[in-house]
Amino acid sequence: KLILVLSLAFLACSQAKEVGIRRYDGYQVYSVNADTKEKYQVLWDVYMNNEGVLDFWTDPAIGKATDVMVPPQEEAAFKLLLEKNGISYEVKIGNVQEIIDEEKAENDQARQARSGESRIGWTAYSTYAEIESFVQDLPSINSIASVQSIGTSYENRNLYAVKISTSPNNRKAILIDANIHAREWITSATATWILNELVTKTAQYGEVLEGIDYYIIPSINVDGYEYSRTSDRMWRKTRSVNSGSTCRGCDPNRNFPFQFGGEGTSSSPCSDTFKGPSALSEKETKAVADYVNGLLSSNVNILAYVSFHSYGQYWLLPWGYTANAYPVDYSQQLSLGNAAISAIQAVHGTRYVTGTGADVLYGVGGASDDWAKNIGIKYTVTAEMRDTGRYGFVLPPAQIIPNAEETMAALTEVAKRVRSE
Ligand code: ARG
Ligand code: ZN
């Protein structure tokens, strides 16, 4: 284990340099099964202390596969550690660069096929500039949409929220945030698809729109998103400079002011779960918090908050900061969770699992879902979308629409519940 930690620490230093486009040749994704508390502890230590060298694509869990991306030069040490501790594993993705290349080829082809069209489509992932102009055009397509600027990112890109309302009066509301994590491209693609459906096929979505207003933040970690498109497909965090470190960014889903610095958060700027120097240190999380607080203080009755993430196919309920912790209204959270996941399954057969974020995965402090619950929003959810690790974050663009369709089915259940509150 010492050998592993030493070699990991060495690599962490060399990894901080950001030059050109980062490649993942020979990087493998291991599916690791820690089936006892002791084995889990070993995995957890690696997770917390590896300074971003091993990339945990999914959160460590007991008795369930944990997906870990391993650089070729770490493979021997990592295998040794697993074998020494009797932890079973299999290689799930043999070469990450290969699926990145495939995704890019499919994406380029799909973009080529629709070149000349003025609006974005959902057969390909879009650039942030395209998402931005899509958002700006929504009110001219349908006056049920209004666009609000909610701030700017660290690199000065505009951040947006879109309100969708079929009434001049404020009604019960649902808030959605997406793309807090940069590499989870499916989340902003899904949020924009939902916006497009509601705006262009309003009559078809009575069940969704009747009596409810939506406040949708389609992409919040925009600098990270662009960085993941142009430089490092596996980038997760924001892009802010950390003083005293060459590693950039913090995990925006550890940066909210509830249980900040709690379980599952790191104080090391090179870690992928770095909580940041202080709660809401990031312009992007500050923008979300200010926007939501502003709505609440102007008496907008937000009854549900859904945070879009990938991957794993989980519908995660509060509380997420620690295991075996349940809000007093947990039975209602769970019944909505069950309704949502059966609605999802009914569309394309995709199976989700529901339960608290901390029971199903593990406890994390500073996440947006618990923050929202703590400020009094009744139903809070982290939706971990497709898939279960065949492609992970690198979900082929052909799955954007099916993923979005099943998400819309879940959202319909949320809308029904909110309406009856
Ligand atoms: N994968 C998400 C993350 O690591 C899960 C967050 C779920 N929320 C929670 N409070 N546990 O940010
Ligand atoms: Zn995420």
Side-chain angles (χ1 to χ4, degrees), residues 4 15 44 56 66 79 117 173 192 205 267 301 317 374 397:
L4 177 79
Q15 260 197 345
W44 179 262
F56 279 67
T66 299
K79 268 189 181 158
E117 288 176 43
T192 52
Y205 287 102
S267 304
N301 186 15
L317 310 170
N374 185 57

Side-chain angles (χ1 to χ4, degrees), residues 180-182 184 187 236 251 253 308-311 382 384 393:
I180 278 193
H181 288 139
E184 298 165 10
T187 62
R236 164 179 167 103
D251 183 341
N253 212 34
F308 284 2
H309 285 256
S310 74
Y311 62 99
T382 289
E384 296 275 3
F393 305 111

